[in-house]
Amino acid sequence: MERTIRTPESSSVIVGVDGSAPARGAALWAAAEAVLRGRPLHIVHGADTDGRALYLSPLTIENVCAAGREVLDETAKAVAAGYPGLVVTTEFSRTDAVTALRHAAGPHGTIVATAVAAASARSCSAPSVSVPPPPP
């Protein structure tokens, strides 16, 4: 089995998305950052279905998963349209958003998050960049 060793020079720029306009803006900002750093972009959606499995019906979990994958696909298409040469990967996670981002980033990935998301992930050990909110 082959393994890729992530280093600060080869790790992706990671961004979490939830379908909101600020998350879409963060994804596009992260794409620009990835281009500047010469790195791929990895888009993550943490649905937290594992944490809520006892309280949700199987159909609801299925719908949440489908919606999350749709958010990933739409975001990846938007990024590809704006940054055609950028390598973009997506990841759907059944864990919460912070855990999903930390796992995707590992020790060397750079996480891009909206200011709200960054505030909830202060314990993250990976380097992070906070995207300021758009002007009113």
Side-chain angles (χ1 to χ4, degrees), residues 29-108:
W29 195 92
E33 187 69 17
V35 168
L36 285 173
R37 293 174 183 236
R39 293 164 148 188
L41 176 67
H42 189 62
I43 305 169
V44 178
H45 177 79
D48 195 23
T49 53
D50 285 353
R52 298 182 282 166
L54 292 175
Y55 311 104
L56 301 176
S57 71
L59 179 60
T60 299
I61 290 174
E62 186 178 317
N63 290 339
V64 168
C65 292
R69 288 186 180 94
E70 186 175 329
V71 165
L72 286 168
D73 291 344
E74 290 173 0
T75 305
K77 286 178 189 173
V79 168
Y83 301 89
L86 180 62
V87 174
V88 178
T89 57
T90 62
E91 178 182 346
F92 176 85
S93 175
R94 297 176 70 99
T95 63
D96 64 275
V98 172
T99 302
L101 288 168
R102 290 180 70 184
H103 181 267
H108 300 296

